[in-house]
Amino acid sequence: MVKSLEQNGFIYRKRDEQDARFMRIFLTDKGKELEKPVDFKWKQQQKNYCIQFHRKIA
């Protein structure tokens, strides 16, 4: 998944300067453009899931 996001220009990887075993992942400008719409959609899905869950247990 990370490789696909990188290939599509949404993220880039950078080796950690203090510990070379780690790769840090950052959003590109293209990725940042999708941050708000994706967050909104994610919150909608969570809300819908919670509603459905409460209906089943009620």
Side-chain angles (χ1 to χ4, degrees):
M1 179 179 243
V2 172
K3 187 175 182 178
S4 175
L5 290 169
E6 187 175 31
Q7 288 174 340
N8 288 296
F10 296 109
I11 62 165
Y12 67 94
R13 297 186 234 192
K14 184 178 177 184
R15 186 146 321 265
D16 187 282
E17 294 174 3
Q18 296 178 355
D19 191 335
R21 294 174 295 174
F22 295 102
M23 291 293 287
R24 302 290 179 184
I25 299 171
F26 300 93
L27 290 173
T28 62
D29 289 340
K30 184 178 177 181
K32 288 177 185 176
E33 289 176 11
L34 292 177
E35 189 174 12
K36 285 184 182 179
V38 168
D39 186 55
F40 175 76
K41 188 66 175 175
W42 180 261
K43 287 177 182 173
Q44 275 186 318
Q45 293 296 339
Q46 285 180 316
K47 183 178 177 181
N48 290 337
Y49 174 76
C50 288
I51 289 169
Q52 294 300 321
F53 179 75
H54 288 293
R55 285 182 183 162
K56 288 184 180 184
I57 63 170

